[in-house]
């Protein structure tokens, strides 16, 4: 009989994370016969020490960045309606592209496995996002711009 | 069990490093990173040609599950649409007004135009409202199952209503 043990943050280096305390690695703890008298299950816990070699907070910052960007994008939608123009056009181009790039990045992480395939998928994604941003900026500069284009399309 | 450990862990928060705490005397640091473990898992299973366990064909579908899939689907669809638009802007000869004129010359009926607008608006509204639901989850709110279902139905209703309103404009 196995039970999964989860601990919320132990030693969090004196820094309070923005939303959650970091969750430590799960490890199935198997209950064996006679285990209780020797070492209590509560102590047979495999954890990632807080000062582990991969102590980078890059992933955590990326997560926060994704949420901040989502909120920015949310604010741009009424802004596009109320204040259409080049400022909102270029802001939308940047925010939409980055939000999509990070979102598709999560899809790649979820479904693509194997070092070479991951590298290839991310390279392709980077190319796509670059072209997308270039195309949107081109449209904003040489054509009517995103806000006006939506207004024109909807007036049909 | 987990609750007991969580409360014990919380007590240990304010103290110094728990490595010295009695509870963690038998703690063993992990030898591999999460990424390595995941790669090893997939490499081993592909090498042994193991079939994938049935998941979407056998697991009982639920509203939260379908909404999550739809959130991802609409996200991918919206991204694809934006990228197609951007590539078109770079590659195609005429300007935006030119292509709008082409569509105008098709003289499509108002019903078709309204349904086309609905089809464009719905993925955006759904993804936006469900995105807000996700942000509430990110703040730790609304995880109880009744809340998950309630917020889910609210998202669906709001998406449908706002798409219909936009299609009518």
């Amino acid at each position: 009989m196995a039970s999964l043990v989860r601990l919320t943050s132990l030693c969090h280096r004196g820094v309070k994370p923005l939303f959650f305390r970091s969750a430590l690695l799960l490890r199935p703890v198997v209950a064996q016969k006679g285990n209780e008298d020797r070492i209590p299950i509560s102590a047979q816990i495999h954890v990632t020490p807080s000062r582990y070699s991969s102590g980078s907070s890059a992933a955590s910052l990326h997560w926060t960045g994704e949420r901040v960007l989502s909120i920015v994008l949310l604010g741009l939608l009424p802004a596009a309606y109320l204040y259409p123009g080049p400022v909102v056009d270029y802001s939308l181009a940047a925010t939409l592209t980055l939000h999509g790039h990070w979102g598709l990045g999560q899809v790649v992480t979820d479904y693509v496995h194997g070092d070479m395939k991951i590298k290839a998928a991310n390279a392709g994604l980077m190319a796509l996002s670059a072209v997308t941003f270039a195309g949107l900026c081109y449209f904003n500069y040489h054509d009517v711009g995103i806000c006006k284009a939506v207004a024109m399309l909807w007036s049909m | 069990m987990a609750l007991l450990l969580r409360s014990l862990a919380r007590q240990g928060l304010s103290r110094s490093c728990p490595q010295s705490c009695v509870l963690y005397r038998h703690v063993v640091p992990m030898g591999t990173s999460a990424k390595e473990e995941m790669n090893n898992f997939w490499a081993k299973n592909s090498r042994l040609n193991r079939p994938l366990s049935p998941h979407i064909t056998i697991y009982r579908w639920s509203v939260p599950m379908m909404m999550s899939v739809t959130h991802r689907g609409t996200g991918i669809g919206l991204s694809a649409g934006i990228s197609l638009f951007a590539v078109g802007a770079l590659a195609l000869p005429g300007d935006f007004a030119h292509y709008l004129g082409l569509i105008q010359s098709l003289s499509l009926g108002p019903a078709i135009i309204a349904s086309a607008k609905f089809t464009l608006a719905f993925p955006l509204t759904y993804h936006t409202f469900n995105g807000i639901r996700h942000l509430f989850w990110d703040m730790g709110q609304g995880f109880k199952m009744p809340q998950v279902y309630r917020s889910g139905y609210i998202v669906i209703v709001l998406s449908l209503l706002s798409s219909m309103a936009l299609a009518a404009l």
Side-chain angles (χ1 to χ4, degrees), chain A residues 9-10 43 47 51-52 67 110-111 113 115 132 143 149 154 156, chain B residues 13 17 23-24 26-27 30 39 42 72 83 86 96 100 117 138 166:
Chain A
S9 163
L10 302 174
V47 294
R51 279 174 252 99
Y52 194 61
R67 317 299 128 158
D110 280 351
Y111 302 134
H113 306 285
D115 281 324
T132 304
D143 213 320
W154 229 254
M156 283 182 61
Chain B
L13 274 173
C17 190
L23 189 65
Y24 302 102
H26 304 284
V27 156
M30 298 281 307
N39 279 341
W42 285 101
R72 184 158 266 194
S83 292
F96 187 68
L100 264 191
K117 285 182 181 177
D138 291 335
L166 284 170

PDB file of all heavy atoms in Angstrom, chain A residues 9-10 43 47 51-52 67 110-111 113 115 132 143 149 154 156, chain B residues 13 17 23-24 26-27 30 39 42 72 83 86 96 100 117 138 166:
ATOM      1  N   SER A   9       6.462  24.100   1.676  1.00  0.00           N
ATOM      2  CA  SER A   9       7.846  24.548   1.816  1.00  0.00           C
ATOM      3  C   SER A   9       8.402  24.381   3.227  1.00  0.00           C
ATOM      4  O   SER A   9       7.722  24.645   4.212  1.00  0.00           O
ATOM      5  CB  SER A   9       7.905  26.010   1.408  1.00  0.00           C
ATOM      6  OG  SER A   9       9.073  26.585   1.864  1.00  0.00           O
ATOM      7  N   LEU A  10       9.616  23.908   3.320  1.00  0.00           N
ATOM      8  CA  LEU A  10      10.264  23.787   4.632  1.00  0.00           C
ATOM      9  C   LEU A  10      11.110  25.016   4.885  1.00  0.00           C
ATOM     10  O   LEU A  10      10.681  25.992   5.429  1.00  0.00           O
ATOM     11  CB  LEU A  10      11.131  22.521   4.665  1.00  0.00           C
ATOM     12  CG  LEU A  10      10.403  21.216   4.395  1.00  0.00           C
ATOM     13  CD1 LEU A  10      11.389  20.080   4.319  1.00  0.00           C
ATOM     14  CD2 LEU A  10       9.412  20.944   5.511  1.00  0.00           C
ATOM     15  N   ALA A  43       9.169  10.051   8.611  1.00  0.00           N
ATOM     16  CA  ALA A  43      10.565  10.461   8.510  1.00  0.00           C
ATOM     17  C   ALA A  43      11.217   9.927   7.251  1.00  0.00           C
ATOM     18  O   ALA A  43      12.312  10.345   6.891  1.00  0.00           O
ATOM     19  CB  ALA A  43      11.334   9.992   9.732  1.00  0.00           C
ATOM     20  N   VAL A  47      13.519  14.528  -0.004  1.00  0.00           N
ATOM     21  CA  VAL A  47      13.222  15.923  -0.336  1.00  0.00           C
ATOM     22  C   VAL A  47      14.340  16.526  -1.142  1.00  0.00           C
ATOM     23  O   VAL A  47      15.460  16.028  -1.143  1.00  0.00           O
ATOM     24  CB  VAL A  47      13.021  16.778   0.941  1.00  0.00           C
ATOM     25  CG1 VAL A  47      11.795  16.324   1.675  1.00  0.00           C
ATOM     26  CG2 VAL A  47      14.232  16.691   1.842  1.00  0.00           C
ATOM     27  N   ARG A  51      19.055  24.076  -0.729  1.00  0.00           N
ATOM     28  CA  ARG A  51      20.290  24.557  -1.336  1.00  0.00           C
ATOM     29  C   ARG A  51      20.800  23.542  -2.353  1.00  0.00           C
ATOM     30  O   ARG A  51      21.985  23.281  -2.434  1.00  0.00           O
ATOM     31  CB  ARG A  51      21.345  24.787  -0.248  1.00  0.00           C
ATOM     32  CG  ARG A  51      21.158  26.116   0.474  1.00  0.00           C
ATOM     33  CD  ARG A  51      22.113  26.268   1.640  1.00  0.00           C
ATOM     34  NE  ARG A  51      21.434  26.147   2.915  1.00  0.00           N
ATOM     35  CZ  ARG A  51      21.407  25.042   3.637  1.00  0.00           C
ATOM     36  NH1 ARG A  51      22.016  23.949   3.225  1.00  0.00           N
ATOM     37  NH2 ARG A  51      20.756  25.002   4.792  1.00  0.00           N
ATOM     38  N   TYR A  52      19.888  22.973  -3.154  1.00  0.00           N
ATOM     39  CA  TYR A  52      20.259  21.996  -4.180  1.00  0.00           C
ATOM     40  C   TYR A  52      20.992  22.701  -5.311  1.00  0.00           C
ATOM     41  O   TYR A  52      20.864  23.893  -5.498  1.00  0.00           O
ATOM     42  CB  TYR A  52      18.992  21.314  -4.702  1.00  0.00           C
ATOM     43  CG  TYR A  52      19.245  20.078  -5.509  1.00  0.00           C
ATOM     44  CD1 TYR A  52      19.877  18.978  -4.967  1.00  0.00           C
ATOM     45  CD2 TYR A  52      18.808  19.999  -6.817  1.00  0.00           C
ATOM     46  CE1 TYR A  52      20.085  17.835  -5.706  1.00  0.00           C
ATOM     47  CE2 TYR A  52      19.012  18.860  -7.566  1.00  0.00           C
ATOM     48  CZ  TYR A  52      19.659  17.780  -7.003  1.00  0.00           C
ATOM     49  OH  TYR A  52      19.869  16.649  -7.729  1.00  0.00           O
ATOM     50  N   ARG A  67       1.822  35.119 -15.633  1.00  0.00           N
ATOM     51  CA  ARG A  67       0.578  35.634 -15.043  1.00  0.00           C
ATOM     52  C   ARG A  67       0.495  37.140 -15.215  1.00  0.00           C
ATOM     53  O   ARG A  67      -0.585  37.690 -15.516  1.00  0.00           O
ATOM     54  CB  ARG A  67       0.474  35.283 -13.557  1.00  0.00           C
ATOM     55  CG  ARG A  67       0.870  33.875 -13.205  1.00  0.00           C
ATOM     56  CD  ARG A  67       0.053  32.814 -13.850  1.00  0.00           C
ATOM     57  NE  ARG A  67       0.890  31.840 -14.527  1.00  0.00           N
ATOM     58  CZ  ARG A  67       0.532  30.605 -14.836  1.00  0.00           C
ATOM     59  NH1 ARG A  67      -0.663  30.179 -14.518  1.00  0.00           N
ATOM     60  NH2 ARG A  67       1.360  29.804 -15.467  1.00  0.00           N
ATOM     61  N   ASP A 110       4.606  19.889 -22.476  1.00  0.00           N
ATOM     62  CA  ASP A 110       3.712  18.808 -22.066  1.00  0.00           C
ATOM     63  C   ASP A 110       3.763  17.607 -22.988  1.00  0.00           C
ATOM     64  O   ASP A 110       3.688  16.462 -22.531  1.00  0.00           O
ATOM     65  CB  ASP A 110       2.261  19.320 -22.016  1.00  0.00           C
ATOM     66  CG  ASP A 110       1.981  20.085 -20.733  1.00  0.00           C
ATOM     67  OD1 ASP A 110       2.836  20.079 -19.839  1.00  0.00           O
ATOM     68  OD2 ASP A 110       0.896  20.683 -20.647  1.00  0.00           O
ATOM     69  N   TYR A 111       3.861  17.855 -24.303  1.00  0.00           N
ATOM     70  CA  TYR A 111       3.664  16.736 -25.226  1.00  0.00           C
ATOM     71  C   TYR A 111       4.900  16.278 -25.969  1.00  0.00           C
ATOM     72  O   TYR A 111       4.892  15.212 -26.558  1.00  0.00           O
ATOM     73  CB  TYR A 111       2.574  17.094 -26.262  1.00  0.00           C
ATOM     74  CG  TYR A 111       1.262  17.452 -25.630  1.00  0.00           C
ATOM     75  CD1 TYR A 111       0.550  18.564 -26.039  1.00  0.00           C
ATOM     76  CD2 TYR A 111       0.734  16.688 -24.590  1.00  0.00           C
ATOM     77  CE1 TYR A 111      -0.646  18.904 -25.450  1.00  0.00           C
ATOM     78  CE2 TYR A 111      -0.466  17.025 -23.995  1.00  0.00           C
ATOM     79  CZ  TYR A 111      -1.148  18.131 -24.424  1.00  0.00           C
ATOM     80  OH  TYR A 111      -2.334  18.471 -23.834  1.00  0.00           O
ATOM     81  N   HIS A 113       8.673  14.899 -26.081  1.00  0.00           N
ATOM     82  CA  HIS A 113       9.641  14.256 -25.186  1.00  0.00           C
ATOM     83  C   HIS A 113      10.888  13.851 -25.946  1.00  0.00           C
ATOM     84  O   HIS A 113      10.830  13.490 -27.113  1.00  0.00           O
ATOM     85  CB  HIS A 113       9.015  13.025 -24.534  1.00  0.00           C
ATOM     86  CG  HIS A 113       7.733  13.348 -23.848  1.00  0.00           C
ATOM     87  ND1 HIS A 113       7.673  14.005 -22.655  1.00  0.00           N
ATOM     88  CD2 HIS A 113       6.454  13.115 -24.212  1.00  0.00           C
ATOM     89  CE1 HIS A 113       6.405  14.158 -22.314  1.00  0.00           C
ATOM     90  NE2 HIS A 113       5.654  13.622 -23.228  1.00  0.00           N
ATOM     91  N   ASP A 115      15.323  14.816 -25.874  1.00  0.00           N
ATOM     92  CA  ASP A 115      16.132  16.042 -25.959  1.00  0.00           C
ATOM     93  C   ASP A 115      16.113  16.694 -27.334  1.00  0.00           C
ATOM     94  O   ASP A 115      15.907  17.901 -27.465  1.00  0.00           O
ATOM     95  CB  ASP A 115      17.586  15.739 -25.550  1.00  0.00           C
ATOM     96  CG  ASP A 115      17.732  15.661 -24.037  1.00  0.00           C
ATOM     97  OD1 ASP A 115      17.038  16.439 -23.348  1.00  0.00           O
ATOM     98  OD2 ASP A 115      18.518  14.828 -23.539  1.00  0.00           O
ATOM     99  N   THR A 132       5.625  35.957 -36.487  1.00  0.00           N
ATOM    100  CA  THR A 132       4.338  36.520 -36.071  1.00  0.00           C
ATOM    101  C   THR A 132       4.500  37.958 -35.597  1.00  0.00           C
ATOM    102  O   THR A 132       3.746  38.851 -36.001  1.00  0.00           O
ATOM    103  CB  THR A 132       3.719  35.677 -34.943  1.00  0.00           C
ATOM    104  OG1 THR A 132       3.599  34.330 -35.392  1.00  0.00           O
ATOM    105  CG2 THR A 132       2.364  36.199 -34.543  1.00  0.00           C
ATOM    106  N   ASP A 143       0.053  49.118 -42.752  1.00  0.00           N
ATOM    107  CA  ASP A 143      -1.382  48.987 -43.021  1.00  0.00           C
ATOM    108  C   ASP A 143      -2.149  49.727 -41.931  1.00  0.00           C
ATOM    109  O   ASP A 143      -1.584  50.562 -41.236  1.00  0.00           O
ATOM    110  CB  ASP A 143      -1.757  47.501 -43.076  1.00  0.00           C
ATOM    111  CG  ASP A 143      -2.871  47.220 -44.072  1.00  0.00           C
ATOM    112  OD1 ASP A 143      -3.821  48.027 -44.141  1.00  0.00           O
ATOM    113  OD2 ASP A 143      -2.784  46.212 -44.780  1.00  0.00           O
ATOM    114  N   ALA A 149      -8.206  47.494 -37.924  1.00  0.00           N
ATOM    115  CA  ALA A 149      -8.543  46.322 -38.730  1.00  0.00           C
ATOM    116  C   ALA A 149      -9.730  45.580 -38.128  1.00  0.00           C
ATOM    117  O   ALA A 149     -10.658  45.176 -38.847  1.00  0.00           O
ATOM    118  CB  ALA A 149      -7.336  45.393 -38.841  1.00  0.00           C
ATOM    119  N   TRP A 154     -15.398  44.198 -38.291  1.00  0.00           N
ATOM    120  CA  TRP A 154     -16.664  44.052 -37.581  1.00  0.00           C
ATOM    121  C   TRP A 154     -17.767  44.922 -38.154  1.00  0.00           C
ATOM    122  O   TRP A 154     -18.951  44.688 -37.902  1.00  0.00           O
ATOM    123  CB  TRP A 154     -16.466  44.343 -36.081  1.00  0.00           C
ATOM    124  CG  TRP A 154     -17.081  43.269 -35.249  1.00  0.00           C
ATOM    125  CD1 TRP A 154     -18.229  43.360 -34.524  1.00  0.00           C
ATOM    126  CD2 TRP A 154     -16.610  41.928 -35.089  1.00  0.00           C
ATOM    127  NE1 TRP A 154     -18.503  42.144 -33.911  1.00  0.00           N
ATOM    128  CE2 TRP A 154     -17.517  41.256 -34.242  1.00  0.00           C
ATOM    129  CE3 TRP A 154     -15.512  41.212 -35.587  1.00  0.00           C
ATOM    130  CZ2 TRP A 154     -17.359  39.916 -33.867  1.00  0.00           C
ATOM    131  CZ3 TRP A 154     -15.365  39.889 -35.213  1.00  0.00           C
ATOM    132  CH2 TRP A 154     -16.281  39.254 -34.364  1.00  0.00           C
ATOM    133  N   MET A 156     -18.567  45.013 -41.135  1.00  0.00           N
ATOM    134  CA  MET A 156     -19.143  44.377 -42.325  1.00  0.00           C
ATOM    135  C   MET A 156     -20.588  43.970 -42.126  1.00  0.00           C
ATOM    136  O   MET A 156     -20.919  43.356 -41.127  1.00  0.00           O
ATOM    137  CB  MET A 156     -18.320  43.155 -42.705  1.00  0.00           C
ATOM    138  CG  MET A 156     -17.028  43.528 -43.397  1.00  0.00           C
ATOM    139  SD  MET A 156     -16.121  42.071 -43.878  1.00  0.00           S
ATOM    140  CE  MET A 156     -17.266  41.308 -44.967  1.00  0.00           C
TER     141      MET A 156
ATOM    142  N   LEU B  13       8.603  25.995   9.779  1.00  0.00           N
ATOM    143  CA  LEU B  13       8.934  27.109   8.887  1.00  0.00           C
ATOM    144  C   LEU B  13       9.690  28.206   9.615  1.00  0.00           C
ATOM    145  O   LEU B  13      10.650  28.751   9.120  1.00  0.00           O
ATOM    146  CB  LEU B  13       7.657  27.698   8.296  1.00  0.00           C
ATOM    147  CG  LEU B  13       7.141  26.996   7.031  1.00  0.00           C
ATOM    148  CD1 LEU B  13       5.806  27.569   6.661  1.00  0.00           C
ATOM    149  CD2 LEU B  13       8.125  27.170   5.905  1.00  0.00           C
ATOM    150  N   CYS B  17      16.995  25.841   9.591  1.00  0.00           N
ATOM    151  CA  CYS B  17      16.933  24.798   8.568  1.00  0.00           C
ATOM    152  C   CYS B  17      16.499  23.455   9.144  1.00  0.00           C
ATOM    153  O   CYS B  17      17.054  22.987  10.131  1.00  0.00           O
ATOM    154  CB  CYS B  17      18.293  24.671   7.884  1.00  0.00           C
ATOM    155  SG  CYS B  17      18.218  23.616   6.432  1.00  0.00           S
ATOM    156  N   LEU B  23      12.564  15.232  12.797  1.00  0.00           N
ATOM    157  CA  LEU B  23      11.665  14.612  11.823  1.00  0.00           C
ATOM    158  C   LEU B  23      12.392  14.237  10.542  1.00  0.00           C
ATOM    159  O   LEU B  23      11.996  13.327   9.837  1.00  0.00           O
ATOM    160  CB  LEU B  23      10.531  15.610  11.525  1.00  0.00           C
ATOM    161  CG  LEU B  23       9.357  15.084  10.702  1.00  0.00           C
ATOM    162  CD1 LEU B  23       8.623  14.007  11.482  1.00  0.00           C
ATOM    163  CD2 LEU B  23       8.406  16.214  10.385  1.00  0.00           C
ATOM    164  N   TYR B  24      13.459  14.952  10.215  1.00  0.00           N
ATOM    165  CA  TYR B  24      14.109  14.737   8.932  1.00  0.00           C
ATOM    166  C   TYR B  24      15.451  14.060   9.060  1.00  0.00           C
ATOM    167  O   TYR B  24      16.316  14.212   8.219  1.00  0.00           O
ATOM    168  CB  TYR B  24      14.262  16.082   8.205  1.00  0.00           C
ATOM    169  CG  TYR B  24      12.926  16.725   8.021  1.00  0.00           C
ATOM    170  CD1 TYR B  24      12.533  17.763   8.857  1.00  0.00           C
ATOM    171  CD2 TYR B  24      12.025  16.251   7.073  1.00  0.00           C
ATOM    172  CE1 TYR B  24      11.286  18.321   8.734  1.00  0.00           C
ATOM    173  CE2 TYR B  24      10.780  16.799   6.955  1.00  0.00           C
ATOM    174  CZ  TYR B  24      10.410  17.840   7.789  1.00  0.00           C
ATOM    175  OH  TYR B  24       9.176  18.385   7.665  1.00  0.00           O
ATOM    176  N   HIS B  26      16.142  11.067   8.608  1.00  0.00           N
ATOM    177  CA  HIS B  26      16.388  10.048   7.595  1.00  0.00           C
ATOM    178  C   HIS B  26      16.145  10.573   6.192  1.00  0.00           C
ATOM    179  O   HIS B  26      15.870   9.820   5.282  1.00  0.00           O
ATOM    180  CB  HIS B  26      15.484   8.845   7.851  1.00  0.00           C
ATOM    181  CG  HIS B  26      15.667   8.299   9.227  1.00  0.00           C
ATOM    182  ND1 HIS B  26      16.752   7.538   9.585  1.00  0.00           N
ATOM    183  CD2 HIS B  26      14.933   8.450  10.346  1.00  0.00           C
ATOM    184  CE1 HIS B  26      16.655   7.225  10.868  1.00  0.00           C
ATOM    185  NE2 HIS B  26      15.562   7.769  11.349  1.00  0.00           N
ATOM    186  N   VAL B  27      16.215  11.899   6.051  1.00  0.00           N
ATOM    187  CA  VAL B  27      15.980  12.498   4.746  1.00  0.00           C
ATOM    188  C   VAL B  27      17.143  12.203   3.813  1.00  0.00           C
ATOM    189  O   VAL B  27      18.297  12.299   4.195  1.00  0.00           O
ATOM    190  CB  VAL B  27      15.791  14.022   4.907  1.00  0.00           C
ATOM    191  CG1 VAL B  27      16.118  14.739   3.634  1.00  0.00           C
ATOM    192  CG2 VAL B  27      14.379  14.318   5.342  1.00  0.00           C
ATOM    193  N   MET B  30      17.720  14.089  -3.269  1.00  0.00           N
ATOM    194  CA  MET B  30      17.488  13.473  -4.580  1.00  0.00           C
ATOM    195  C   MET B  30      18.766  13.481  -5.395  1.00  0.00           C
ATOM    196  O   MET B  30      19.486  14.458  -5.426  1.00  0.00           O
ATOM    197  CB  MET B  30      16.415  14.258  -5.342  1.00  0.00           C
ATOM    198  CG  MET B  30      15.070  14.277  -4.658  1.00  0.00           C
ATOM    199  SD  MET B  30      14.118  12.800  -4.882  1.00  0.00           S
ATOM    200  CE  MET B  30      14.120  12.615  -6.618  1.00  0.00           C
ATOM    201  N   ASN B  39      13.037  12.636 -18.514  1.00  0.00           N
ATOM    202  CA  ASN B  39      13.674  12.121 -19.728  1.00  0.00           C
ATOM    203  C   ASN B  39      13.933  10.622 -19.627  1.00  0.00           C
ATOM    204  O   ASN B  39      13.692   9.872 -20.581  1.00  0.00           O
ATOM    205  CB  ASN B  39      14.990  12.859 -19.991  1.00  0.00           C
ATOM    206  CG  ASN B  39      14.756  14.197 -20.654  1.00  0.00           C
ATOM    207  OD1 ASN B  39      13.698  14.433 -21.223  1.00  0.00           O
ATOM    208  ND2 ASN B  39      15.730  15.090 -20.570  1.00  0.00           N
ATOM    209  N   TRP B  42      10.690   8.626 -20.174  1.00  0.00           N
ATOM    210  CA  TRP B  42      10.258   8.522 -21.568  1.00  0.00           C
ATOM    211  C   TRP B  42      11.224   7.695 -22.391  1.00  0.00           C
ATOM    212  O   TRP B  42      10.800   6.909 -23.251  1.00  0.00           O
ATOM    213  CB  TRP B  42      10.077   9.915 -22.173  1.00  0.00           C
ATOM    214  CG  TRP B  42       8.837  10.563 -21.678  1.00  0.00           C
ATOM    215  CD1 TRP B  42       8.739  11.510 -20.717  1.00  0.00           C
ATOM    216  CD2 TRP B  42       7.490  10.261 -22.079  1.00  0.00           C
ATOM    217  NE1 TRP B  42       7.422  11.821 -20.495  1.00  0.00           N
ATOM    218  CE2 TRP B  42       6.642  11.077 -21.322  1.00  0.00           C
ATOM    219  CE3 TRP B  42       6.939   9.385 -23.020  1.00  0.00           C
ATOM    220  CZ2 TRP B  42       5.257  11.055 -21.473  1.00  0.00           C
ATOM    221  CZ3 TRP B  42       5.562   9.361 -23.153  1.00  0.00           C
ATOM    222  CH2 TRP B  42       4.732  10.192 -22.386  1.00  0.00           C
ATOM    223  N   ARG B  72      -7.054  25.002 -23.778  1.00  0.00           N
ATOM    224  CA  ARG B  72      -5.829  24.792 -24.540  1.00  0.00           C
ATOM    225  C   ARG B  72      -6.113  24.845 -26.040  1.00  0.00           C
ATOM    226  O   ARG B  72      -5.369  25.450 -26.811  1.00  0.00           O
ATOM    227  CB  ARG B  72      -5.230  23.440 -24.165  1.00  0.00           C
ATOM    228  CG  ARG B  72      -3.896  23.179 -24.832  1.00  0.00           C
ATOM    229  CD  ARG B  72      -3.095  22.152 -24.094  1.00  0.00           C
ATOM    230  NE  ARG B  72      -2.183  22.784 -23.147  1.00  0.00           N
ATOM    231  CZ  ARG B  72      -1.169  22.161 -22.540  1.00  0.00           C
ATOM    232  NH1 ARG B  72      -0.982  20.889 -22.754  1.00  0.00           N
ATOM    233  NH2 ARG B  72      -0.383  22.796 -21.705  1.00  0.00           N
ATOM    234  N   SER B  83      -0.952  34.019 -36.077  1.00  0.00           N
ATOM    235  CA  SER B  83       0.243  33.769 -36.889  1.00  0.00           C
ATOM    236  C   SER B  83      -0.091  33.767 -38.368  1.00  0.00           C
ATOM    237  O   SER B  83       0.650  34.341 -39.186  1.00  0.00           O
ATOM    238  CB  SER B  83       0.884  32.444 -36.491  1.00  0.00           C
ATOM    239  OG  SER B  83       1.417  32.520 -35.192  1.00  0.00           O
ATOM    240  N   ALA B  86      -0.494  37.283 -39.468  1.00  0.00           N
ATOM    241  CA  ALA B  86       0.794  37.967 -39.554  1.00  0.00           C
ATOM    242  C   ALA B  86       1.562  37.537 -40.803  1.00  0.00           C
ATOM    243  O   ALA B  86       2.131  38.382 -41.520  1.00  0.00           O
ATOM    244  CB  ALA B  86       1.631  37.680 -38.307  1.00  0.00           C
ATOM    245  N   PHE B  96      -5.124  45.328 -46.338  1.00  0.00           N
ATOM    246  CA  PHE B  96      -6.251  44.772 -45.596  1.00  0.00           C
ATOM    247  C   PHE B  96      -7.582  45.168 -46.236  1.00  0.00           C
ATOM    248  O   PHE B  96      -8.478  44.336 -46.393  1.00  0.00           O
ATOM    249  CB  PHE B  96      -6.193  45.249 -44.138  1.00  0.00           C
ATOM    250  CG  PHE B  96      -7.206  44.593 -43.248  1.00  0.00           C
ATOM    251  CD1 PHE B  96      -7.111  43.247 -42.932  1.00  0.00           C
ATOM    252  CD2 PHE B  96      -8.281  45.318 -42.727  1.00  0.00           C
ATOM    253  CE1 PHE B  96      -8.047  42.634 -42.117  1.00  0.00           C
ATOM    254  CE2 PHE B  96      -9.208  44.709 -41.901  1.00  0.00           C
ATOM    255  CZ  PHE B  96      -9.098  43.367 -41.600  1.00  0.00           C
ATOM    256  N   LEU B 100     -10.744  42.834 -47.496  1.00  0.00           N
ATOM    257  CA  LEU B 100     -12.087  43.045 -46.955  1.00  0.00           C
ATOM    258  C   LEU B 100     -13.077  43.277 -48.091  1.00  0.00           C
ATOM    259  O   LEU B 100     -14.209  42.789 -48.079  1.00  0.00           O
ATOM    260  CB  LEU B 100     -12.100  44.244 -46.003  1.00  0.00           C
ATOM    261  CG  LEU B 100     -11.962  43.963 -44.511  1.00  0.00           C
ATOM    262  CD1 LEU B 100     -12.256  45.213 -43.708  1.00  0.00           C
ATOM    263  CD2 LEU B 100     -12.876  42.844 -44.075  1.00  0.00           C
ATOM    264  N   LYS B 117     -18.989  35.919 -37.360  1.00  0.00           N
ATOM    265  CA  LYS B 117     -18.511  36.757 -36.252  1.00  0.00           C
ATOM    266  C   LYS B 117     -18.555  35.975 -34.941  1.00  0.00           C
ATOM    267  O   LYS B 117     -17.642  36.073 -34.113  1.00  0.00           O
ATOM    268  CB  LYS B 117     -19.383  38.011 -36.136  1.00  0.00           C
ATOM    269  CG  LYS B 117     -19.100  39.047 -37.213  1.00  0.00           C
ATOM    270  CD  LYS B 117     -19.958  40.286 -37.008  1.00  0.00           C
ATOM    271  CE  LYS B 117     -19.681  41.300 -38.102  1.00  0.00           C
ATOM    272  NZ  LYS B 117     -20.567  42.497 -37.964  1.00  0.00           N
ATOM    273  N   ASP B 138      -4.687  30.599  -9.642  1.00  0.00           N
ATOM    274  CA  ASP B 138      -3.290  30.932  -9.356  1.00  0.00           C
ATOM    275  C   ASP B 138      -3.139  31.689  -8.046  1.00  0.00           C
ATOM    276  O   ASP B 138      -2.081  31.646  -7.426  1.00  0.00           O
ATOM    277  CB  ASP B 138      -2.703  31.776 -10.497  1.00  0.00           C
ATOM    278  CG  ASP B 138      -2.553  30.966 -11.765  1.00  0.00           C
ATOM    279  OD1 ASP B 138      -2.433  29.735 -11.661  1.00  0.00           O
ATOM    280  OD2 ASP B 138      -2.556  31.568 -12.851  1.00  0.00           O
ATOM    281  N   LEU B 166     -21.402  40.197 -29.320  1.00  0.00           N
ATOM    282  CA  LEU B 166     -20.423  40.694 -30.289  1.00  0.00           C
ATOM    283  C   LEU B 166     -20.848  40.372 -31.706  1.00  0.00           C
ATOM    284  O   LEU B 166     -20.672  41.191 -32.619  1.00  0.00           O
ATOM    285  CB  LEU B 166     -19.047  40.075 -30.013  1.00  0.00           C
ATOM    286  CG  LEU B 166     -18.291  40.642 -28.816  1.00  0.00           C
ATOM    287  CD1 LEU B 166     -17.069  39.790 -28.490  1.00  0.00           C
ATOM    288  CD2 LEU B 166     -17.861  42.078 -29.068  1.00  0.00           C
TER     289      LEU B 166
END
